Amino acid sequence: MATITLNVATVTPLGDRVLVKVSQSEEKTAGGILLPDTAKEKPQIGEVTAVGPGKRDEDGKRQPLELKVGDKVLYSKYAGTEIKIGSEEYVLLAEKDILATVQ
């Protein structure tokens, strides 16, 4: 999946979309071996930085999202669109692609 690089200050998700800041991947294995960039797995945990207003139901009313800014979430491995804003990496996801909140 290609990463989109944006030169903007803010990104506001639409509908039931959520902007998640990607957590850093592990640098070492459990045994202490350092991993090169090519061997690191794509992280699936991040922090919600922005949420859309929610999707509309059949009556045209907004259905609010269950997430809020600051939640740590676990999301599907190949879901969403990868975005780079400055030096930070984000993923723009649909709410259905978020599997769980984590502590």
Side-chain angles (χ1 to χ4, degrees):
M1 181 184 327
T3 301
I4 299 171
T5 303
L6 298 176
N7 294 322
V8 296
T10 60
V11 174
T12 304
L14 301 175
D16 67 338
R17 303 279 188 228
V18 179
L19 187 66
V20 176
K21 182 177 178 184
V22 178
S23 296
Q24 297 297 320
S25 58
E26 293 294 321
E27 300 284 329
K28 294 183 193 178
T29 64
I33 298 171
L34 291 174
L35 294 171
D37 288 338
T38 56
K40 293 178 187 173
E41 284 194 36
K42 179 180 167 186
Q44 292 176 258
I45 294 179
E47 183 177 339
V48 175
T49 58
V51 296
K55 65 180 177 181
R56 294 191 182 272
D57 64 10
E58 296 170 358
D59 298 330
K61 295 179 183 174
R62 292 262 184 210
Q63 296 294 321
L65 277 70
E66 295 181 37
L67 302 166
K68 62 186 180 308
V69 174
D71 285 347
K72 283 194 162 260
V73 294
L74 173 69
Y75 55 89
S76 297
K77 191 166 197 155
Y78 298 105
T81 302
E82 295 176 355
I83 300 172
K84 191 168 189 176
I85 302 173
S87 63
E88 301 291 335
E89 293 184 14
Y90 295 86
V91 178
L92 187 60
L93 301 160
E95 183 182 29
K96 67 178 181 162
D97 294 327
I98 297 176
L99 305 173
T101 57
V102 294
Q103 304 300 336

